[in-house]
Amino acid sequence: MTERSALGLDIEAGLREAIAHRKGEIALESRHIDPMPPTRIRQIRKALAKSPRDFERRFGIPARTVEGWEQGRKLDAAHRVLLMVLEKSPEAVEAALA
């Protein structure tokens, strides 16, 4: 019989935990991610720029991309995080881009 590694044992333990969670035997910590609706995206953009074009000039995000988000097109996790940072600290993004 071959010796089992620590990594292998950790993987097995993780799989057992996932199966127990799936069966409802244990509860695992989870986090709800805000889907960021189009109305909120529009509010963020309007607070920072008059138009999608102005937003593009200020932050480098293409106007068509912003327009798509405002119309409900898919927003990936990285863009959601960027918008959250822009909402709270637009100066930090501008400093990073400078």
Side-chain angles (χ1 to χ4, degrees), residues 29-47:
E29 185 179 332
S30 63
R31 181 183 299 174
H32 174 73
I33 304 297
D34 181 2
M36 186 136 338
T39 53
R40 182 166 167 208
I41 295 168
R42 188 172 295 112
Q43 288 171 345
I44 293 168
R45 195 258 309 149
K46 284 184 174 184

Side-chain angles (χ1 to χ4, degrees), residues 5-67:
S5 70
L7 175 62
L9 293 171
D10 285 346
I11 292 170
E12 286 178 20
L15 289 171
R16 280 193 294 279
E17 185 178 57
I19 291 167
H21 174 69
R22 178 76 174 158
K23 289 180 178 179
E25 297 169 355
I26 63 170
L28 296 176
E29 185 179 332
S30 63
R31 181 183 299 174
H32 174 73
I33 304 297
D34 181 2
M36 186 136 338
T39 53
R40 182 166 167 208
I41 295 168
R42 188 172 295 112
Q43 288 171 345
I44 293 168
R45 195 258 309 149
K46 284 184 174 184
L48 301 172
K50 290 182 181 183
S51 70
R53 292 273 176 233
D54 290 338
F55 196 82
E56 177 179 9
R57 282 189 281 277
R58 186 170 177 190
F59 300 109
I61 302 170
R64 290 189 58 140
T65 299
V66 175
E67 290 165 351

Side-chain angles (χ1 to χ4, degrees), residues 72-84:
R73 291 196 203 115
K74 187 176 179 181
L75 180 70
D76 67 26
H79 292 135
R80 185 175 23 255
V81 169
L82 176 59
L83 286 167
M84 291 168 69

